[in-house]
Amino acid sequence: MTTTAPGTTPKRGVQPIRKVRRGGPAIVQFYRSAVGKKWVMALTGLALMGFVLFHMVGNLKLFISKSELNLYGEALRDIPGHLLPRTVLLWGLRIGLILAFVFHIHAAYSLTLLNRKARPDRYRSPRDYVAADFASRTMRWTGIIVLLFLIYHLLDLTWGAANPEFVRGDPYNNLVYSLDRTPVAIVYIVANIALAFHLYHGGWSLFQSLGWNNPHYNKGRRLFAQGFAALILLGNLTFPLAVQFGLVEPACPHTDPVEQCDEESGL
Amino acid sequence: MTLVSRVPEGAIADKWDNHKFGVKLVNPANKRRFDIIIVGTGLAGASAAASLAELGYNVKVITFHDSPRRAHSIAAQGGINAAKNYKNDGDSVYRLFYDTIKGGDYRAREANVYRLAQVSVDIIDQCVAQGVPFAREYGGLLDNRSFGGAQVSRTFYARGQTGQQLLLGAYQALMRQVHLGSVTLYPRTEMLDLVVKDGHAAGIVCRDLDTGDVFSMSGHAVVLATGGYGNVFYLSTNAKNSNVTAAWRASKRGAFMANPCYTQIHPTCIPASDDFQSKLTLMSESLRNDGRIWVPKQMDDPRSPDQIPVDERDYFLERRYPAFGNLVPRDVASRAAKREVDSGRGVGPLKNGVYLDFGHAIERLGVEVVEERYSNLFEMYERITGEDPYTVPMRIYPAVHYTMGGLWVDYNLMSNLPGLFVLGEANFSDHGANRLGASALMQGLADGYFVLPYTIGDYLAPLLGQQPLATDDPAFRDAEQHVDEQVRRLLSINGKRTVDDIHRQLGKVLWDNCGMSRTEQSLTKALSEIPAIREEFWENVRVLGENETRNQSLEKAGRVADFLEFAELMVYDALDRKESCGGHFREEYRTEDGEALRDDANFAYVAAWEFNGVGEDPTLHKEPLVFEYAHPSTRSYK
Amino acid sequence: MSGANESMRITLKAWRQASAEVRGEFETYDVPGVSPDMSFLEMLDIVNERLILDGKEPIAFDHDCREGICGSCGMMINGQAHGPERGTATCQLHMRKFSDGDHITIEPWRAAAFPVVKDMIVDRSAFDVIIEAGGYIGVGTGGAPDGNEIPIPKPVADAAMDAAACIGCGACVAACPNGAAQLFTSAKIQHLNLLPQGQAERWDRTVNMVDTMETYFGSCTNHRECEAACPKSISIDFIALMNKDYVKAQFKQRRLIGQSLP
Ligand SMILES: Cc1cc2nc3c(=O)[nH]c(=O)nc-3n(C[C@H](O)[C@H](O)[C@H](O)COP(=O)(O)OP(=O)(O)OC[C@H]3O[C@@H](n4cnc5c(N)ncnc54)[C@H](O)[C@@H]3O)c2cc1C
Ligand code: HEM
Ligand code: HEM
Ligand code: SF4
Ligand code: F3S
Ligand code: FES
């Protein structure tokens, strides 16, 4: 008994900016709607936040020792021990991560288009925003920066295409070598600042999108976002900075990843 | 021509039931074969449209607003009465009936008022079911407050936004019918003429406000629910676009205008601050529940209110009307305030107000309770005046608020033109010479939800099988041409004065001579001045722009042109009614202590005026009023 | 009133556009003699009176009640919907909020769903379409149970009233960087969804109104500008509640299963 056809009002001059298609499985119908897409964005955003947090914490092993970091990378590939063949579970997680990114970005893209259509004619006088902050108004830009960074990051540390000294299976040396180059360190720093802004708004916004609203904890939502963004920012900034300031063991490629670097072979 | 009021036989309590059984019905399957045009989407229009459409009639709804929800009813603040007796304080249908008749100074038709009181209880139920968020008590039941002119608590309210919530309820019901296809909605469309064929209302002529197109619409019945004419005074509490055009043009086509001189002046409005003032803002009457009204005893007292000790204040309502105190009916409170201001005790920079003080209430109840009850009204006051009512007493003064007069209708709400029905503030029916607070919302919804849906069938049933008049009939063509000509004429004058300027002049003449108190002399003066202003208007008004795009000056000009004709009738009626009653106070007719003096022997009738041409004397038709139950007594609130 | 004698001089830059079909542009007017006690619209009235006497067409703007309740008025004033005072519609904004010598720029609401009719007037009938899609409780006239039959806890009635206070002015859309009508729609939905009377159609209503909204308006990224611009200070909490109801409606409640009073 649903219809979007306007009733009988002959004088109505407004044109829809899009058609809502009906039918199909509930989940598809749900994702067609903007509210549904935002819900998906929030859930995928939450998953991504989980990943970023886990990733940051994992990377902190950098400060323990070279072998710890490399063993950590190794351990990830090995979970859950011998219950599954090596890397199967990791791939599972990676696929989840990729899907999260894909949906997050697709939803962001399609909603951005919708929003453009919703106001084709811009305001001619400058807006004076009251509540919208820098973070909320730059979500698309910070998102794109993070995306570009991610591509570079994968080329740099996962596939090695952007890293001349790349050795598969030796994340420590790859990383330290990479971050030792000042421009690369700057890229990491900028990207993580963008990410922090993205999370500053996103970490709060997702509660609204998911409908998690309750006077008893509403204040906590903003605190959560601020805390989370700050945590990720601080954590992730330590890596490029530590390498730049020589606070971690220098990279020494072409050695056994688990061994300590000996003096002679160091670069 | 004699006026047939069609009041049914029987004891007053049975009349409505008898009538409902007696009226002709239209078979459900046949209802869709009737086209009904409803002009106006206020409480009366929207509720009627929703109810009739739901019954199956084919309904067309016209409003000049951009959405039905914006009708002036939205602005009502205080509340709506109903004889629910939820407070166990002795209320009953009969008491509401009695209070309304008495409040109206024995100038309303008993049978109509009794019916109003009867259906009042259904209105609340209907609105609650529609989701109107009335105020509730902690136990979850509906809350009530008391209002002027009553000694029981029977007023239901939704914060200070009762009219809004009731109208949204009706609007939503209407939009549901639009969705179902049973209502065709024409927003931004103004009715500019009524078409009458063989003495029956046959349709209307409209102007599309966006394009200037003039077009006709025909139907088996035309329902006007176009609100009141308070804006004839220029300054009033009515929304800026409220006007008399629909009713007046119907009147020019033969419908009788009844009691046009009955205008209500509301005591609690924010005083005007300067000439640029565009309208006056009402502060809900509910403020009088806890606020106390006073002026300094000393004339031209220069002290600020907090410097004036209590024994140098004159709480003049409490002094003069100990039984009702600050809760006397509106007309009484207004005149009392005028008397104080006229005697030089007015307060504020222009000495044009009296204090409404919450100091005592705050002491007695605490800030929280006062805040809970009135915070939004206080905020509104502060926004407008820049003063904080929690610390400085409010200043108030009476302003034109409501018009009891309107098109004459019978018990079926049909005017003397068969097929033309009039609902809400646009008709004259239920409030006599003075309306009690919170009764207009009740009347609008009663008319639309619970009266018209029954009574319209009585007119329609015999018309089954008849087609509505074709819109290319000469009657339509003539009316269209008429409207076209007026538009062209207004655009071509290109004089030197703006529409508002002339309207302001008219308003001042009316306020000074036909306002809160009137004399034969002032009324005669007004009668001589109004035609001159009208002439000035038609020679010297300047309306710029074109017909084909949105032209607000043109719209306004058409409305003011009608006010200029209507004003004369209003004054005429006031002059003719040689007594004081309710909102009509003639200085010559008052008791020794200055209260209104009614003349039941000579004036217990409804004055229904027949239009005879602009500038011509209208013809008076009288509908005698008989009081079998509420026997006229002197209205005393002492 | 505060100071009836001081008068201000304002420079007003107003968007002038004769109709939807033609291009518009800003025009600048010098406005002396503005009293701080004037409302913003009274200031425009004066400008218009003077324009007419100069033979120029007055600035068209929608207005009616001038009490902040009908929702007719509204324009961007210096880049803010309804101007600089929070919780205030344009008609309730007073010139004491400005100072002598101020430049004020006014522009109509801009959104695809709000085409300009003339100058400041836009067509907001898309809001009516959203209501049509389900913004009601489908009870006919007559036959309603007694008003006190279902007690409603005061906090629930109050919350419903908070939502119902919306005046349909469109400032939320105008202020939203995305041109989203989330605040309006959620207020209308939640007003009814919160009440026991609104339960029967709760899930259908939510889906229909949201889907209709999305055919005309943008989507919400939680900028909160709408709440700041809203003359009734309606809370974005209602947006969250609407989102929640939408998800429930699409999954949990699709077959009326689990419909129950809250
Ligand atoms: C500030 C204020 C506060 C009030 N408070 C209360 C209160 O607390 N309690 C109470 O009971 N009463 C109150 N009243 C009175 C009450 O609000 C009105 O009497 C009542 O709402 C009138 O309703 P209506 O349906 O008759 O007309 P309105 O609501 O005035 O509706 C008129 C409709 O007719 C349309 N219309 C008019 N002319 C034309 C035309 N020519 N062509 C097309 N359409 C036309 C308009 O667009 C509008 O839709 C108050 C009034 C005011 C001014
Ligand atoms: C990769 C490219 C990315 C793009 C283009 C992108 C874009 C966006 C956009 C446009 C929004 C909507 C803004 C809003 O709802 O307020 C958003 C929300 C969000 N993003 Fe991203 N983002 C990206 C990556 C990420 C990453 C890596 C994370 C987590 C670490 C993340 C977490 C979030 C969160 C939590 C939200 C809030 C979701 C909501 O409110 O529903 N995003 N993103
Ligand atoms: C300074 C901050 C960061 C450091 C030091 C860092 C370091 C690393 C390292 C060393 C790897 C390789 C792990 C391996 O191959 O075993 C890696 C992989 C990865 N990083 Fe980061 N990273 C940082 C920030 C980020 C951010 C902000 C994102 C997301 C937006 C991210 C996303 C990824 C992804 C998706 C992979 C691939 C994981 C996989 O192979 O499954 N990284 N990172
Ligand atoms: S939600 Fe607020 S801003 Fe939006 S239409 Fe309603 S009242 Fe206006
Ligand atoms: S400003 Fe717009 S983005 Fe959402 S919170 Fe309000 S609708
Ligand atoms: S004019 Fe009615 S809200 Fe401003």
Side-chain angles (χ1 to χ4, degrees), chain A residues 23-34:
Chain A
I27 183 87
V28 175
Q29 201 172 318
F30 178 65
Y31 188 70
R32 275 198 205 115
S33 81

Side-chain angles (χ1 to χ4, degrees), chain A residues 51-52 55 59 69 73 77 90 94 97 101 146 149-150 153-154 157-158 171 175 179 188 192 195 236-237 239-240:
Chain A
F51 165 75
V52 172
H55 192 48
N59 285 340
L69 185 72
R77 288 169 174 78
L90 182 66
R94 279 176 177 160
L97 194 61
F101 266 112
V146 172
F149 163 77
L150 182 69
H153 184 55
L154 292 174
L157 294 178
T158 304
L175 178 66
L179 292 182
Y188 272 74
N192 275 290
L195 178 64
N236 277 352
L237 285 189
F239 309 125

